Amino acid sequence: MRATVGDRIRVHGRVVGMADHLGEVIEIRGTDDDQLLVIRYDDGHEGVLSPGADCEVLHRAG
């Protein structure tokens, strides 16, 4: 899974009924093979994410 700055990320809830978390990639750290994504989530907080199977990259049109 490769992301670029400006892409949207959806992190799926881990249990039934848990809401997905949505955010925007604002920075990429690490290497192409081992990306760490700095995400600004829609609720305003920021965090570093190592994408896994519960993540979906929504590529921006462009």
Side-chain angles (χ1 to χ4, degrees), residues 1-61:
M1 166 188 328
R2 289 228 164 70
T4 59
V5 172
D7 285 346
R8 301 278 296 160
I9 294 287
R10 173 179 288 138
V11 181
H12 297 286
R14 295 183 183 197
V15 297
V16 174
M18 184 177 179
D20 292 350
H21 295 281
L22 296 167
E24 179 180 349
V25 178
I26 60 172
E27 182 183 341
I28 298 175
R29 298 179 184 171
T31 64
D32 281 342
D33 294 331
D34 189 24
Q35 287 187 331
L36 293 176
L37 308 176
V38 180
I39 308 295
R40 179 175 297 125
Y41 291 95
D42 290 351
D43 66 3
H45 83 275
E46 295 180 6
V48 177
L49 174 70
S50 176
D54 60 343
C55 296
E56 181 180 355
V57 176
L58 308 170
H59 298 285
R60 66 180 172 177

